Amino acid sequence: MSIAHQRKKQPEAVRQQLLEAAASLCLEKGAGSLTLDAVAAAAGVSKGGLLHHFPNKAALLDGLLDDLMERLDAAIREAMRSDPEPHGRYTRAYLQACFVPGGMAEEGRWKAMTMALLGEPNLRRRWRRWVEEQSVLHAGTDASIDCELVRFAVDGLWLGSVLESHAMPPERARMLARRLTELSYS
């Protein structure tokens, strides 16, 4: 009997298992080579079980992006709660969530999703919409040119991390984070 038939029904746990498997496969082989069969096998779930949660590859990638954006939103909200200074609060939270010396939370999943974002127009539209919504939501506190510069720098650091193009010693990363934090107050 397969693992899927022995497991108690836990739909959210199965869904997370599928998302983890999809992220791992995207990271290892690229989003272009991601197949539903491969995800089901890697997660130890029947293809029917996968199709119950994600009827196609696009839905699976959407689910992965939704999950990551929810986690990013939660990390940003948490960081904002502990910041007493309104000006630049969102920018500092974004910096804290996305550029952490030693690696951001969910780094492997974000690397996989970034690769998928590069190749999937629908995912790019959804990400752009999230960025635009954040800009509108925080326009009263984070519209300064310095805050915008910090967010662009964070995005560049994130992309450099995804592409593994820039080796950065931890002390250098801490120095960059401190300087970007300083700019967010301007």
Side-chain angles (χ1 to χ4, degrees):
M1 186 177 280
S2 77
I3 297 169
H5 296 293
Q6 296 172 357
R7 179 178 46 237
K8 289 183 181 178
K9 294 198 183 239
Q10 300 174 337
E12 189 51 37
V14 171
R15 186 176 189 284
Q16 285 303 313
Q17 198 172 337
L18 290 164
L19 292 173
E20 290 291 336
S24 293
L25 289 169
C26 276
L27 196 55
E28 291 168 17
K29 299 180 181 185
S33 64
L34 187 71
T35 66
L36 297 181
D37 288 327
V39 172
V45 173
S46 70
K47 188 166 181 186
L50 180 144
L51 292 172
H52 171 74
H53 293 280
F54 305 105
N56 53 45
K57 181 179 170 180
L60 181 60
L61 289 171
D62 280 341
L64 187 56
L65 182 59
D66 288 341
D67 185 58
L68 286 168
M69 287 193 307
E70 286 171 15
R71 292 170 189 242
L72 179 59
D73 283 336
I76 289 171
R77 279 192 309 274
E78 181 64 29
M80 288 178 69
R81 266 194 290 277
S82 63
D83 187 340
E85 172 57 41
H87 178 78
R89 182 182 292 151
Y90 166 73
T91 298
R92 286 186 296 282
Y94 186 74
L95 169 64
Q96 186 176 332
C98 298
F99 180 62
V100 179
M104 67 182 276
E106 310 297 332
E107 185 174 31
R109 292 176 104 193
W110 273 113
K111 282 183 178 184
M113 180 47 61
T114 302
M115 297 304 187
L117 281 164
L118 294 173
E120 299 290 333
N122 178 55
L123 296 176
R124 280 196 310 276
R125 277 190 295 277
R126 293 186 61 221
W127 178 251
R128 183 175 51 246
R129 190 170 40 245
W130 182 87
V131 170
E132 289 167 354
E133 288 168 1
Q134 299 309 306
S135 293
V136 169
L137 187 62
H138 303 288
T141 58
D142 290 70
S144 75
I145 196 74
D146 286 335
C147 283
E148 189 172 8
L149 180 63
V150 169
R151 291 190 304 275
F152 274 114
V154 169
D155 290 346
L157 289 163
W158 180 3
L159 186 59
S161 171
V162 167
L163 299 175
E164 299 173 356
S165 60
H166 297 78
M168 187 178 309
E171 182 54 34
R172 184 70 168 183
R174 283 189 288 279
M175 289 170 56
L176 280 171
R178 276 193 303 271
R179 182 65 184 119
L180 290 171
T181 299
E182 291 169 8
L183 275 174
S184 74
Y185 288 100
S186 303

